[in-house]
Amino acid sequence: MKFNPVLHRVLIKPDKLEEKTSSGIIIQYDKREEAAVEKGVVVLVGSTAYHEFGTTAEDQGVIPGARVSFAKYAGKTIMDGDTKYICCNDEDIVGVLENE
């Protein structure tokens, strides 16, 4: 599948939720969802992302390969086979994660 986000949208590959703790205890689904902080890797950035705010995606550090945190219920889920992506608005990205 070929997908290009348009305008101010950003395509993110979200991290998978952990199913076990480091000691091997299985985490119930609802507890994983409750505890999840939405993080992922930027795949593609739309051509006008952040222009509305007088800046660019590059200036904000939102570039392909960057790890970001985004709003929990943001965007639209897009599936490519078994791979899940989130296409969200630029304003749904709450921060760029460094040193992770």
Side-chain angles (χ1 to χ4, degrees):
M1 174 179 75
K2 178 87 170 145
F3 182 87
N4 288 311
V6 296
L7 301 174
H8 57 277
R9 291 174 182 84
V10 179
L11 187 67
I12 299 171
K13 183 177 181 190
D15 293 347
K16 290 191 176 197
L17 294 175
E18 293 296 323
E19 295 181 9
K20 291 183 184 179
T21 64
S22 58
S23 60
I25 298 172
I26 297 174
I27 304 169
Q28 289 180 318
Y29 179 76
D30 58 341
K31 295 296 181 190
R32 286 183 292 155
E33 183 179 7
E34 207 174 276
V37 174
E38 299 296 331
K39 297 178 184 176
V41 177
V42 174
V43 177
L44 293 168
V45 180
S47 61
T48 62
Y50 296 96
H51 287 193
E52 177 179 326
F53 305 108
T55 186
T56 65
E58 292 83 14
D59 290 344
Q60 297 300 315
V62 179
I63 57 174
R67 289 196 38 79
V68 295
S69 178
F70 56 95
K72 186 171 186 161
Y73 296 106
K76 167 103 176 98
T77 300
I78 297 171
M79 297 298 294
D80 182 15
D82 291 338
T83 306
K84 177 182 175 180
Y85 297 95
I86 302 291
C87 185
C88 65
N89 292 329
D90 53 6
E91 62 190 21
D92 290 327
I93 295 175
V94 296
V96 177
L97 304 169
E98 296 181 12
N99 300 327
E100 252 197 40

